[in-house]
Amino acid sequence: MITTKDIAERLGVSVSTVGRALADDSRISEETKYKVRQAASEMGYVGNRAARMMRGASSNVVALVIPDIRNSFYSTIAHELSKNMEAEGFQLMLAETDDDRMVELRHLRELSATRVAGVIIVPTARPHGDSVKLLRTVPHLQLLRRHPSLGSQWFGVDDHEALREATAHLVAQGHTRIAYMGGPEELPTGAERLRGFRSALREGGLPDGAGRTELGPPSSVDHGRQAMRRLLKGPDAPTALVLGSIQLTRGVLEELSEQGVKVPGQLSVIGFGDEPGFSWWGPGLTTIGLPIQEMATGCALWLLRRLKTEPSNDGPYTSVSPGSLILRGSTAPPEGRSRSGSR
């Protein structure tokens, strides 16, 4: 491995001069800096980042801690963040928790040990106390989900309004048996989406029992399939379904296709997120669109600003983005009812 000593011997200068030149020290002339950098490049020198971190310096790595990269929301966020960070000389590192608080803690311990520059995290439902302590030592912000113990910097979606608007669309079409499938209430996103669903039913004058709910792991495609099977059974099967998770939406669409359910004839469906395949599934999936690129850019800009300022300037910050209802062909009035409500 090429060292600063090798470069110094080649150029006939001291090791300390080489080190200062590579660190862009103002005490070294531009001519010397150029010669040192050129020699370092020709010789294949790679800086010892570990040594710098032992002296207390942070790395140039920013971590993205998420539940599941298979979720297109998170994979798109990761792609956008990576591009934004790379443009400013930072590298994005990915860590998956599978919504397990102990896995989350292990990742945060490793990231802390490597002096990660910053963390963007989609937290688990109940972060471990040690995770909370670790995050207090590093610039960080929460994405999509918000847990009060992890600080007041958060970028998210107005989940309540997104689900309220989607469900209200089904109510306006005349549906009275509407089901909701989403994540558990212990997740802040799950609680807000369920609250939005129930708000729309109440505002539409439907009784409390009008809406069936299936809550479970939001990252499980298989849970979406199983829950869809349960909803289709019995005489009181819903005529409409609204979803609160991308992965659950995928599972539901797979199950409906396998069973040959007519959409929207037998069941109107509103998905969550807008994966590329959703627009051409069946009649085209009506779904809740998410402002992914805007959120990723906002997260990157906030964290980059934070990394370049003193901790004392790190005040509370909240960014709430609206979802959007994308209307396609998978929703219609229930069979036997026109759009005007006449029979």
Side-chain angles (χ1 to χ4, degrees):
M1 180 178 291
I2 300 299
T3 67
T4 54
K5 182 179 179 181
D6 297 322
I7 299 173
E9 290 177 351
R10 174 171 171 173
L11 296 176
V13 298
S14 68
V15 174
S16 61
T17 295
V18 171
R20 288 169 180 167
L22 292 173
D24 201 24
D25 193 309
S26 60
R27 291 173 290 181
I28 306 300
S29 70
E30 291 301 320
E31 181 183 1
T32 300
K33 289 178 185 177
Y34 175 78
K35 290 180 179 179
V36 169
R37 290 168 183 162
Q38 187 177 43
S41 177
E42 292 173 354
M43 298 172 71
Y45 171 77
V46 178
N48 190 341
R49 185 170 295 155
R52 292 201 303 272
M53 288 190 291
M54 287 178 67
R55 295 193 295 268
S58 296
S59 71
N60 69 337
V61 172
V62 170
L64 175 62
V65 183
I66 57 176
D68 185 357
I69 193 62
R70 292 172 299 179
N71 185 323
S72 65
F73 175 87
Y74 298 131
S75 58
T76 304
I77 282 281
H79 175 76
E80 295 294 330
L81 282 174
S82 178
K83 294 301 181 185
N84 279 280
M85 292 298 168
E86 181 183 4
E88 296 295 328
F90 289 90
Q91 179 179 354
L92 190 72
M93 176 184 290
L94 179 68
E96 285 185 293
T97 66
D98 199 28
D99 270 327
D100 185 319
R101 68 198 294 254
M102 297 310 297
V103 174
E104 179 180 66
L105 175 58
R106 287 197 293 273
H107 282 312
L108 290 175
R109 281 175 172 162
E110 288 298 321
L111 293 169
S112 178
T114 57
R115 291 190 176 274
V116 66
V119 175
I120 298 172
I121 184 170
V122 181
T124 55
R126 295 180 297 107
H128 193 282
D130 287 344
S131 294
V132 176
K133 293 176 183 177
L134 287 168
L135 283 172
R136 286 174 182 163
T137 67
V138 63
H140 70 280
L141 62 87
Q142 299 179 75
L143 174 64
L144 203 60
R145 301 174 186 173
R146 175 169 49 179
H147 197 281
S149 69
L150 300 184
S152 54
Q153 290 77 41
W154 173 71
F155 282 75
V157 174
D158 190 342
D159 289 299
H160 173 272
E161 179 57 25
L163 266 294
R164 191 204 65 78
E165 181 184 2
T167 308
H169 171 69
L170 297 172
V171 173
Q173 289 190 317
H175 292 277
T176 58
R177 298 201 310 273
I178 306 171
Y180 168 72
M181 189 187 303
E185 287 188 83
E186 67 174 349
L187 290 174
T189 48
E192 282 299 294
R193 292 168 193 172
L194 179 59
R195 191 169 70 87
F197 170 72
R198 288 173 172 165
S199 293
L201 298 184
R202 185 172 58 253
E203 292 166 4
L206 298 181
D208 293 339
R212 292 178 58 183
T213 59
E214 284 281 351
L215 308 180
S219 60
S220 173
V221 173
D222 188 56
H223 175 75
R225 299 197 66 159
Q226 294 178 21
M228 190 69 255
R229 292 188 203 116
R230 290 192 293 270
L231 287 172
L232 291 173
K233 293 179 180 178
D236 61 341
T239 62
L241 170 67
V242 60
L243 291 135
S245 156
I246 293 177
Q247 295 293 80
L248 293 178
T249 299
R250 289 179 55 200
V252 164
L253 298 186
E254 289 177 8
E255 188 63 26
L256 292 176
S257 296
E258 184 171 304
Q259 293 201 28
V261 176
K262 295 179 181 178
V263 175
Q266 293 174 256
L267 182 73
S268 284
V269 180
I270 297 181
F272 192 85
D274 195 23
E275 291 196 336
F278 288 180
S279 63
W280 49 260
W281 180 88
L285 182 67
T286 293
T287 193
I288 298 169
L290 303 172
I292 301 177
Q293 284 78 11
E294 293 88 342
M295 289 181 66
T297 300
C299 285
L301 290 175
W302 184 92
L303 190 57
L304 288 168
R305 179 198 63 80
R306 170 62 183 81
L307 294 176
K308 297 174 182 178
T309 60
E310 296 298 321
S312 58
N313 297 327
D314 187 15
Y317 188 88
T318 295
S319 175
V320 184
S321 301
S324 59
L325 185 61
I326 303 171
L327 296 174
R328 297 193 181 111
S330 65
T331 57
E335 289 187 335
R337 185 182 180 95
S338 69
R339 289 188 181 274
S340 64
S342 60
R343 292 183 179 276

